[in-house]
Amino acid sequence: MIKAKRGFTLVELLVAIAIFAVLSALGWKVFDYLVKVKDRNQWHEQQLEGLQGAYQQILRDSIQIVPLTANINNDIQPALVLQNGRFNFSKTGVTDPLQQGIAPTERIEYQYRADEQKLYRLKYANLHQSGQDQPVSSVLLDNVSQFQINVLNPQELRNWPDSSIDLNDDQKKRKLPKGIKINLTVQDVQYEWIFSLLNTDFLKSDNKTTS
Protein backbone atom coordinates (compact mmCIF):
# COMPACT_ATOMS: atom_id res chain seq x y z
CA MET A 1 0.00 0.00 0.00
CA ILE A 2 1.17 3.52 -0.75
CA LYS A 3 0.87 5.78 2.26
CA ALA A 4 -0.34 9.29 1.60
CA LYS A 5 2.05 12.08 2.67
CA ARG A 6 0.74 13.92 5.68
CA GLY A 7 1.27 17.71 5.84
CA PHE A 8 0.94 20.21 8.69
CA THR A 9 -2.49 20.96 9.93
CA LEU A 10 -3.71 24.52 10.30
CA VAL A 11 -3.55 24.24 14.08
CA GLU A 12 0.09 23.13 13.96
CA LEU A 13 0.98 26.05 11.68
CA LEU A 14 -0.75 28.52 13.98
CA VAL A 15 1.06 27.08 17.01
CA ALA A 16 4.41 27.30 15.20
CA ILE A 17 3.72 30.90 14.15
CA ALA A 18 2.75 31.77 17.73
CA ILE A 19 5.96 30.23 19.09
CA PHE A 20 8.09 32.11 16.55
CA ALA A 21 6.25 35.36 17.39
CA VAL A 22 6.91 34.91 21.12
CA LEU A 23 10.57 34.08 20.51
CA SER A 24 10.94 37.09 18.19
CA ALA A 25 9.34 39.40 20.76
CA LEU A 26 11.61 38.08 23.52
CA GLY A 27 14.66 38.39 21.26
CA TRP A 28 13.75 41.98 20.34
CA LYS A 29 13.33 42.93 24.00
CA VAL A 30 16.72 41.47 24.84
CA PHE A 31 18.31 43.24 21.87
CA ASP A 32 16.61 46.54 22.72
CA TYR A 33 17.74 46.21 26.35
CA LEU A 34 21.33 45.57 25.29
CA VAL A 35 21.29 48.60 22.97
CA LYS A 36 19.93 50.83 25.74
CA VAL A 37 22.52 49.51 28.21
CA LYS A 38 25.28 50.20 25.68
CA ASP A 39 23.99 53.74 25.03
CA ARG A 40 23.67 54.40 28.76
CA ASN A 41 27.19 53.12 29.44
CA GLN A 42 28.54 55.26 26.61
CA TRP A 43 26.78 58.31 28.03
CA HIS A 44 28.21 57.63 31.53
CA GLU A 45 31.69 57.19 30.01
CA GLN A 46 31.39 60.58 28.29
CA GLN A 47 30.25 62.21 31.53
CA LEU A 48 33.14 60.60 33.41
CA GLU A 49 35.61 61.75 30.76
CA GLY A 50 34.27 65.30 31.08
CA LEU A 51 34.61 65.24 34.87
CA GLN A 52 38.10 63.77 34.72
CA GLY A 53 39.18 66.32 32.12
CA ALA A 54 37.84 69.24 34.18
CA TYR A 55 39.44 67.89 37.36
CA GLN A 56 42.84 67.45 35.68
CA GLN A 57 42.70 70.96 34.18
CA ILE A 58 41.85 72.56 37.53
CA LEU A 59 44.57 70.48 39.19
CA ARG A 60 47.17 71.71 36.68
CA ASP A 61 45.99 75.30 37.13
CA SER A 62 46.07 75.11 40.93
CA ILE A 63 49.60 73.68 40.93
CA GLN A 64 50.76 76.53 38.68
CA ILE A 65 49.11 79.43 40.55
CA VAL A 66 51.83 81.94 41.43
CA PRO A 67 51.94 85.00 43.72
CA LEU A 68 52.14 87.57 40.93
CA THR A 69 49.83 90.55 40.60
CA ALA A 70 48.19 91.50 37.31
CA ASN A 71 48.07 94.98 35.81
CA ILE A 72 44.67 95.35 34.16
CA ASN A 73 44.11 98.78 32.63
CA ASN A 74 46.54 100.30 35.19
CA ASP A 75 44.69 98.63 38.07
CA ILE A 76 46.92 96.26 40.06
CA GLN A 77 44.89 93.12 40.75
CA PRO A 78 45.79 90.61 43.50
CA ALA A 79 47.42 87.34 42.50
CA LEU A 80 44.14 85.55 43.24
CA VAL A 81 40.68 87.10 43.36
CA LEU A 82 37.47 85.52 44.63
CA GLN A 83 34.71 88.10 44.89
CA ASN A 84 30.96 87.63 44.33
CA GLY A 85 31.52 84.36 42.48
CA ARG A 86 34.26 85.85 40.27
CA PHE A 87 37.41 83.74 40.42
CA ASN A 88 40.66 84.52 38.62
CA PHE A 89 44.34 84.08 39.27
CA SER A 90 47.85 84.34 37.86
CA LYS A 91 49.58 81.17 36.71
CA THR A 92 52.87 80.09 35.21
CA GLY A 93 53.91 76.98 33.31
CA VAL A 94 53.66 78.42 29.79
CA THR A 95 56.41 77.20 27.47
CA ASP A 96 57.74 78.91 24.33
CA PRO A 97 59.79 76.26 22.47
CA LEU A 98 59.64 78.19 19.17
CA GLN A 99 60.81 81.40 20.88
CA GLN A 100 57.84 83.42 19.63
CA GLY A 101 57.93 85.80 22.57
CA ILE A 102 55.03 84.15 24.42
CA ALA A 103 54.80 85.37 28.02
CA PRO A 104 55.63 82.70 30.62
CA THR A 105 52.59 83.70 32.72
CA GLU A 106 48.84 83.91 32.11
CA ARG A 107 45.71 85.16 33.83
CA ILE A 108 43.00 82.52 34.18
CA GLU A 109 39.34 82.98 35.11
CA TYR A 110 36.67 80.38 35.85
CA GLN A 111 33.21 81.59 34.91
CA TYR A 112 30.02 79.69 35.72
CA ARG A 113 26.93 80.50 33.65
CA ALA A 114 23.86 79.10 35.35
CA ASP A 115 21.59 79.80 32.37
CA GLU A 116 23.75 77.54 30.19
CA GLN A 117 24.73 75.14 32.99
CA LYS A 118 28.33 75.41 31.81
CA LEU A 119 31.64 76.14 33.48
CA TYR A 120 33.99 78.17 31.29
CA ARG A 121 37.74 78.67 31.48
CA LEU A 122 38.95 82.04 30.18
CA LYS A 123 42.64 82.46 29.41
CA TYR A 124 44.38 85.83 29.04
CA ALA A 125 47.80 85.46 27.46
CA ASN A 126 49.45 88.13 29.61
CA LEU A 127 49.27 89.44 33.16
CA HIS A 128 49.39 93.00 31.82
CA GLN A 129 46.21 93.90 29.94
CA SER A 130 44.66 97.02 28.52
CA GLY A 131 41.17 96.03 29.59
CA GLN A 132 40.19 95.43 25.97
CA ASP A 133 41.99 92.09 25.61
CA GLN A 134 39.79 89.18 24.54
CA PRO A 135 40.43 85.88 26.31
CA VAL A 136 40.54 82.42 24.80
CA SER A 137 37.34 80.78 26.07
CA SER A 138 36.74 77.05 26.44
CA VAL A 139 34.03 74.95 28.09
CA LEU A 140 35.53 73.26 31.12
CA LEU A 141 32.41 71.27 32.04
CA ASP A 142 28.81 70.80 30.81
CA ASN A 143 25.54 70.03 32.64
CA VAL A 144 26.59 71.86 35.82
CA SER A 145 23.50 72.78 37.83
CA GLN A 146 25.41 74.16 40.84
CA PHE A 147 28.93 75.58 41.25
CA GLN A 148 30.66 77.19 44.23
CA ILE A 149 34.32 78.03 44.93
CA ASN A 150 35.72 78.78 48.40
CA VAL A 151 39.32 79.37 49.44
CA LEU A 152 41.00 77.59 52.35
CA ASN A 153 43.44 79.49 54.54
CA PRO A 154 43.08 77.04 56.32
CA GLN A 155 39.59 78.19 57.34
CA GLU A 156 36.99 78.32 54.60
CA LEU A 157 36.42 81.77 53.08
CA ARG A 158 34.01 82.90 50.37
CA ASN A 159 36.06 85.97 49.43
CA TRP A 160 39.73 86.61 48.74
CA PRO A 161 41.70 88.70 49.52
CA ASP A 162 40.16 88.68 52.97
CA SER A 163 39.53 91.80 55.03
CA SER A 164 42.84 91.44 56.91
CA ILE A 165 44.88 92.14 53.76
CA ASP A 166 45.89 95.74 53.07
CA LEU A 167 45.19 96.16 49.35
CA ASN A 168 47.28 99.32 49.27
CA ASP A 169 50.32 97.12 49.81
CA ASP A 170 51.34 95.46 46.53
CA GLN A 171 53.31 92.84 48.45
CA LYS A 172 50.17 91.83 50.35
CA LYS A 173 48.30 91.52 47.06
CA ARG A 174 50.65 88.69 46.19
CA LYS A 175 49.49 86.59 49.13
CA LEU A 176 47.75 83.34 48.25
CA PRO A 177 45.45 81.09 50.30
CA LYS A 178 46.54 77.57 51.15
CA GLY A 179 43.99 75.90 48.88
CA ILE A 180 40.65 76.06 47.11
CA LYS A 181 37.52 73.98 47.52
CA ILE A 182 35.04 73.48 44.69
CA ASN A 183 31.51 72.17 45.19
CA LEU A 184 29.56 71.35 42.07
CA THR A 185 26.56 69.33 40.96
CA VAL A 186 26.64 67.53 37.60
CA GLN A 187 23.64 65.49 36.46
CA ASP A 188 22.19 65.61 40.01
CA VAL A 189 25.39 64.15 41.47
CA GLN A 190 27.28 66.33 43.98
CA TYR A 191 31.07 66.53 44.01
CA GLU A 192 33.59 68.22 46.29
CA TRP A 193 37.12 68.85 45.00
CA ILE A 194 39.93 70.23 47.18
CA PHE A 195 43.22 71.48 45.74
CA SER A 196 46.37 72.68 47.50
CA LEU A 197 48.11 75.81 46.25
CA LEU A 198 51.75 76.81 46.15
CA ASN A 199 53.36 77.20 49.57
CA THR A 200 53.85 80.95 50.06
CA ASP A 201 55.77 80.89 53.31
CA PHE A 202 58.75 82.43 51.47
CA LEU A 203 56.78 85.67 51.29
CA LYS A 204 57.05 85.96 55.07
CA SER A 205 60.82 85.77 54.87
CA ASP A 206 60.78 88.43 52.13
CA ASN A 207 58.77 90.70 54.41
CA LYS A 208 61.24 90.20 57.26
CA THR A 209 64.14 91.02 54.94
CA THR A 210 62.57 94.24 53.66
CA SER A 211 61.32 95.40 57.06
Side-chain angles (χ1 to χ4, degrees):
M1 293 179 61
I2 299 177
K3 295 183 179 179
K5 294 183 179 180
R6 181 178 179 274
F8 293 105
T9 65
L10 179 60
V11 173
E12 290 173 333
L13 288 174
L14 291 176
V15 170
I17 292 173
I19 292 174
F20 281 124
V22 171
L23 292 176
S24 297
L26 292 175
W28 171 253
K29 286 185 178 180
V30 171
F31 177 76
D32 184 57
Y33 173 76
L34 292 176
V35 170
K36 288 181 179 178
V37 168
K38 181 181 178 181
D39 291 343
R40 187 164 60 248
N41 289 341
Q42 185 176 5
W43 181 84
H44 283 300
E45 287 177 3
Q46 292 175 347
Q47 292 297 311
L48 183 59
E49 281 183 15
L51 283 167
Q52 290 176 334
Y55 182 90
Q56 291 297 327
Q57 180 63 71
I58 297 173
L59 177 61
R60 287 193 296 270
D61 285 342
S62 62
I63 291 174
Q64 295 174 341
I65 291 177
V66 289
L68 295 176
T69 56
N71 188 333
I72 301 176
N73 197 21
N74 295 322
D75 181 20
I76 304 301
Q77 294 290 312
L80 184 146
V81 175
L82 176 61
Q83 298 287 340
N84 301 320
R86 177 185 172 217
F87 181 67
N88 59 70
F89 52 86
S90 303
K91 71 174 285 290
T92 186
V94 181
T95 59
D96 188 14
L98 299 179
Q99 298 183 351
Q100 297 175 320
I102 299 175
T105 52
E106 299 172 327
R107 191 73 175 182
I108 303 297
E109 180 174 351
Y110 294 160
Q111 189 178 99
Y112 173 59
R113 299 179 187 173
D115 57 332
E116 300 178 17
Q117 292 197 340
K118 291 182 179 181
L119 176 63
Y120 287 88
R121 181 180 185 267
L122 309 180
K123 180 179 71 174
Y124 295 87
N126 203 304
L127 295 184
H128 307 294
Q129 306 165 32
S130 64
Q132 303 298 321
D133 303 78
Q134 294 299 317
V136 176
S137 177
S138 59
V139 177
L140 198 56
L141 198 58
D142 284 309
N143 302 312
V144 183
S145 57
Q146 179 266 337
F147 182 79
Q148 175 68 47
I149 293 183
N150 291 333
V151 299
L152 307 172
N153 199 48
Q155 71 275 18
E156 193 169 323
L157 302 170
R158 302 197 67 170
N159 294 296
W160 187 269
D162 63 12
S163 57
S164 65
I165 295 178
D166 181 9
L167 294 182
N168 293 319
D169 186 340
D170 287 344
Q171 181 72 9
K172 296 294 180 61
K173 287 184 177 181
R174 294 173 56 195
K175 184 177 179 182
L176 294 173
K178 300 300 181 184
I180 60 174
K181 185 176 81 169
I182 296 178
N183 293 96
L184 67 161
T185 302
V186 181
Q187 293 294 334
D188 298 325
V189 179
Q190 296 181 352
Y191 300 90
E192 181 177 278
W193 296 342
I194 297 178
F195 304 91
S196 297
L197 302 190
L198 177 69
N199 189 324
T200 57
D201 289 342
F202 70 92
L203 291 178
K204 298 178 182 178
S205 60
D206 287 348
N207 287 337
K208 290 179 181 178
T209 303
T210 57
S211 59

